[in-house]
Amino acid sequence: MLSSSVLANAGKSIATSRRDEVYVAAVPLRAAKGPAQLVISTAYSLNLWDLQHFIVIINSSSSLHSQAVVYDFQPEDPESIAVAVAALSGRNVPGVILTRTLKKLPKRKCWFVGYSENDAIDAANRFNEGWDTDLRINHHDCRNYANGLVEYLTGMKAVLEHLRSSSMARDEMSLPRKD
């Protein structure tokens, strides 16, 4: 019969071997239909870094989460012209954290940034509870959210700045991924 300390250590090694993958992805900004949407789509296609929206994706190693989970901070009404004008003029606008699942990771503009040593889904939910949802472009927006959540999950600071300065991001090559 195994002693309780052997069982406890076996449980610890199983728990520490579980590592959730953390990714950052760039997606097009949402805008009102028509000319604004055309401009945003063109900026995304041209890989203009400052006109991209950043999200965090957790690919959980848990069998409870068979799909990747996306965490996204954006304006409550991203397609509103009034919200766009307010945001671009530097005023705060109401923001919201969205969570959704993905069947598979994006093939483009998606970078593996590290592992979370803890349950990343639970950790992300704790992080979100303390996140101020007043959004202000260039001060408290999707970039700040992605950087903050990635640091909370992996310890990696300023991940977007690292990606922006790397040739990998400019060339649209991904960091190593486990597919």
Side-chain angles (χ1 to χ4, degrees):
M1 182 158 174
L2 294 173
S3 73
S4 60
S5 64
V6 170
L7 289 174
N9 288 334
K12 282 183 185 175
S13 69
I14 290 169
T16 58
S17 68
R18 179 177 169 224
R19 295 173 14 136
D20 297 336
E21 299 169 345
V22 179
Y23 296 82
V24 171
V27 297
L29 287 166
R30 288 178 54 196
K33 298 202 182 329
Q37 192 175 44
L38 179 63
V39 168
I40 294 301
S41 295
T42 302
Y44 177 77
S45 298
L46 294 173
N47 207 27
L48 298 176
W49 191 263
D50 291 331
L51 294 176
Q52 300 196 35
H53 180 65
F54 292 91
I55 60 176
V56 176
I57 304 170
I58 297 171
N59 196 16
S60 178
S61 60
S62 167
S63 60
L64 298 175
H65 302 285
S66 60
Q67 296 178 324
V69 180
V70 176
Y71 292 89
D72 180 6
F73 178 57
Q74 65 180 17
E76 278 183 2
D77 188 1
E79 295 180 9
S80 164
I81 297 292
V83 168
V85 170
L88 291 172
S89 67
R91 295 193 320 249
N92 286 353
V93 297
V96 64
I97 298 169
L98 301 176
T99 307
R100 62 189 178 282
T101 59
L102 293 175
K103 292 189 186 295
K104 59 183 182 175
L105 293 170
K107 295 277 186 213
R108 296 182 61 229
K109 298 185 182 187
C110 182
W111 302 274
F112 170 76
V113 294
Y115 293 98
S116 176
E117 293 298 328
N118 301 311
D119 182 323
I121 304 291
D122 286 343
N125 291 334
R126 281 192 308 275
F127 178 85
N128 289 341
E129 288 172 7
W131 185 259
D132 175 11
T133 56
D134 283 339
L135 188 145
R136 187 168 171 215
I137 302 293
N138 292 325
H139 297 281
H140 191 73
D141 59 17
C142 66
R143 288 167 181 75
N144 305 99
Y145 176 79
N147 278 331
L149 182 54
V150 166
E151 182 176 350
Y152 190 77
L153 296 173
T154 68
M156 178 181 274
K157 294 181 183 210
V159 68
L160 295 179
E161 288 75 13
H162 291 293
L163 286 172
R164 184 176 191 169
S165 66
S166 77
S167 62
M168 291 176 153
R170 283 193 299 275
D171 295 338
E172 292 193 51
M173 294 173 56
S174 295
L175 293 172
R177 289 179 31 166
K178 288 180 70 178
D179 286 343

